[in-house]
């Protein structure tokens, strides 16, 4: 066990390199194993990460350490060096991780179940890195080599910071599979076939009630589901309501990037706020497609406050088929794609990319089922 150094000690890289040599000789770091992450080492020795990196670079040049791309830094077996490491790598299991910023919810839980269902019987090592803030997730992506994994699955937000860091990883050839696409990035993605599913749902509402449909979605600049609006637009245009698409598209005031709306108690609030304005300005009866089930829940709550009845005054369809869809009164009509299977397919695709059996970017889309319940109404 190391004696931690005072922050004022060993500020210069050569001094730190000498100390690390001694600790390696003493067996403080296990041979054949990766060093701890940079942040942990920097804290342990009381130095800046830049100083640590210089010291580690010196030891790597001397052969005391071996840098492994996308994995970390290895302490070689005695007398082994790089050749020993090559032998190690042939026996090492593939490892992957998820990196995302969010509060735990049903979607995350089911994705993780699917990922583990793929990884466990195949001996693939898997770790879940769920962060409470975007800043923590972005920092993890910046220093993913510290985590010693071969590839990652990500759930990025439509934010320039995510675009920038993921672009750098793609340029390095680091294997990535995303649960969301980001415009302009050649990301491999796995998700549901949103545009087709939403087209079907909106067409259903138009055909049943013979009127245009309102769309409640995310902030335009941070829309994480543009395919859903594309499906809405297609159904409206095909029904002869193309000139109403813009006026009938209502955007929430806040984006999913905002951590204030990640906790379960707050997920419905953005949908509620915009639905309350819509119901105050537009005439009923009306039909609404909500971009997800949490937004649909906000529509329910806004309708209740306005004294309106879901399924009669307001017909609403959501997306994702969360457990709450069955618990609402009336039950929510929604789109269902297996979130667990999405996780499974994401892990499978990432494994193939890591093993050079697939050439990214690749897009995998699972069909979504349209589940009709009481909220679609007969009004």
């Amino acid at each position: 066990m190391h004696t931690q150094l005072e922050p004022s000690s060993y500020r210069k890289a050569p001094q730190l390199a000498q100390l690390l040599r001694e600790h390696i000789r003493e067996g403080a770091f296990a041979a054949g194993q990766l060093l701890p992450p940079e942040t942990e080492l920097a804290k342990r020795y009381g130095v800046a990460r830049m100083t640590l990196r210089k010291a580690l670079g010196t030891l790597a040049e001397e052969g005391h350490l071996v840098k492994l791309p996308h994995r970390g830094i290895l302490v070689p077996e005695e007398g082994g060096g790089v050749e020993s490491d090559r032998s190690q790598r042939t026996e090492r299991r593939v490892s992957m991780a998820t990196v995302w910023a969010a509060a735990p919810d049903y979607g995350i839980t089911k994705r993780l179940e699917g990922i583990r269902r793929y990884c466990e019987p195949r001996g693939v090592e898997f770790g879940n890195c769920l962060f409470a803030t975007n800043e923590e997730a972005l920092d993890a992506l910046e220093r993913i080599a510290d985590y010693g994994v071969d590839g990652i699955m990500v759930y990025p937000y439509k934010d320039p910071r995510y675009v920038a860091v993921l672009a750098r990883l793609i340029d390095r050839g680091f294997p990535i599979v995303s649960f969301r696409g980001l415009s302009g990035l050649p990301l491999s993605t796995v998700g549901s076939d949103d545009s087709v599913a939403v087209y079907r749902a909106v067409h259903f509402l138009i055909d049943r009630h013979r009127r245009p449909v309102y769309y409640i979605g995310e902030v335009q600049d941070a829309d994480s589901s543009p395919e859903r609006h594309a499906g809405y637009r297609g159904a409206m245009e095909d029904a002869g309501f193309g000139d109403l698409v813009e006026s009938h598209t209502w955007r929430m005031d806040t984006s999913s990037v905002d951590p204030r709306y990640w906790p379960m108690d707050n997920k419905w609030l953005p949908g509620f706020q915009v639905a309350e304005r819509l119901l105050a300005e537009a005439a009923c009866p009306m039909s609404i497609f909500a971009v997800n089930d949490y937004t649909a829940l906000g529509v329910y709550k806004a309708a209740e406050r306005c004294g309106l009845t879901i399924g009669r005054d307001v017909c609403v369809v959501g997306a994702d088929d969360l457990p709450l869809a069955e618990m609402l009164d009336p039950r929510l009509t929604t789109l269902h794609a297996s979130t667990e299977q999405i996780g499974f397919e994401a892990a499978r695709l990432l494994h193939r990319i890591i093993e050079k059996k697939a050439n990214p970017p690749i897009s995998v889309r699972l069909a979504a089922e349209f589940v009709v319940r009481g909220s679609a109404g007969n009004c």
Side-chain angles (χ1 to χ4, degrees), residues 348-370:
R348 187 174 76 89
L349 177 57
L350 181 59
H351 195 185
R352 293 179 63 216
I353 293 172
I354 290 170
E355 295 193 329
K356 311 295 185 185
K357 295 179 180 178
N359 185 28
I362 296 169
S363 176
V364 177
R365 290 291 174 265
L366 278 64
E369 178 187 359
F370 183 44

Side-chain angles (χ1 to χ4, degrees), residues 18-317:
Q18 179 57 36
L19 183 62
L20 287 168
R21 285 190 203 95
E22 295 172 4
H23 285 175
I24 291 171
R25 282 197 299 269
E26 293 168 359
F29 300 106
Q33 299 296 316
L34 296 173
L35 288 179
E38 280 187 3
T39 49
E40 181 180 330
L41 285 173
K43 182 177 180 181
R44 182 183 299 184
Y45 287 99
V47 297
R49 287 173 64 183
M50 185 60 70
T51 301
L52 176 67
R53 286 173 181 171
K54 289 180 180 179
L56 294 175
T58 298
L59 295 182
E61 291 175 3
E62 296 172 352
H64 294 291
L65 298 172
V66 178
K67 290 186 176 181
L68 305 180
H70 312 319
R71 288 181 54 204
I73 299 178
L74 181 86
V75 180
E77 300 283 359
E78 186 176 353
V82 174
E83 291 302 319
S84 172
D85 173 62
R86 287 177 182 156
S87 174
Q88 286 268 343
R89 274 184 279 182
T90 61
E91 300 175 3
R92 189 183 61 83
R93 294 199 298 175
V94 169
S95 64
M96 59 179 70
T98 49
V99 178
W100 41 21
D105 62 15
Y106 178 82
I108 289 174
T109 301
K110 298 306 287 186
R111 281 183 178 86
L112 291 176
E113 287 179 7
I115 292 168
R116 293 190 177 100
R117 180 163 60 86
Y118 177 85
C119 291
E120 288 175 2
R122 293 165 178 82
V124 175
E125 295 178 348
F126 169 67
N128 177 40
C129 302
L130 181 63
F131 297 98
T133 67
N134 285 305
E135 288 68 27
E136 290 174 299
L138 289 163
D139 179 66
L141 291 171
E142 287 281 10
R143 55 185 185 83
I144 196 64
D146 292 353
Y147 288 77
V149 295
D150 300 298
I152 56 172
M153 288 160 279
V154 296
Y155 196 80
Y157 294 97
K158 193 174 180 181
D159 180 307
R161 297 175 297 172
Y162 280 97
V163 173
V165 68
L166 290 175
R168 287 193 288 272
L169 289 174
I170 291 170
D171 287 343
R172 285 165 42 192
F174 188 82
I176 303 172
V177 170
S178 176
F179 294 110
R180 286 173 165 172
L182 288 178
S183 179
L185 282 186
L187 277 170
S188 293
T189 58
V190 177
S192 59
D193 194 356
D194 286 345
S195 59
V196 172
V198 173
Y199 180 100
R200 181 182 178 191
V202 174
H203 175 77
F204 173 87
L205 286 172
I206 293 173
D207 188 54
R208 171 169 283 197
H209 305 299
R210 302 296 176 183
R211 61 181 180 236
V213 176
Y214 287 90
Y215 178 94
I216 297 181
E218 290 195 81
V219 179
Q220 180 86 42
D221 293 340
D223 191 351
S224 62
S225 301
E227 297 88 355
R228 295 186 180 184
H229 192 260
Y232 164 76
R233 177 183 293 276
M236 287 281 281
E237 290 175 345
D238 286 353
F241 296 128
D243 58 334
L244 298 178
V245 168
E246 297 307 317
S247 64
H248 279 54
T249 296
W250 288 60
R251 299 284 183 176
M252 291 179 269
D253 296 331
T254 56
S255 122
S256 57
V257 177
D258 191 337
R260 292 178 299 171
Y261 298 96
W262 293 350
M264 294 299 296
D265 291 344
N266 293 342
K267 284 181 180 290
W268 58 271
L269 278 173
F272 168 79
Q273 292 160 356
V274 69
E276 195 172 37
R277 295 199 307 273
L278 171 59
L279 295 177
E281 295 184 22
C284 289
M286 70 169 65
S287 301
I288 298 174
F289 177 81
V291 71
N292 55 51
D293 288 351
Y294 295 118
T295 301
L297 175 59
V299 174
Y300 271 67
K301 290 180 178 292
E304 181 180 10
R305 175 169 289 191
C306 295
L308 300 171
T309 301
I310 296 292
R312 187 187 68 195
D313 305 308
V314 181
C315 298
V316 59
V317 173

Side-chain angles (χ1 to χ4, degrees), residues 110 117 192 320 336-344 366-369:
K110 298 306 287 186
R117 180 163 60 86
S192 59
D320 298 330
H336 173 84
S338 172
T339 310
E340 181 181 342
Q341 190 63 27
I342 287 172
F344 180 94
L366 278 64
E369 178 187 359

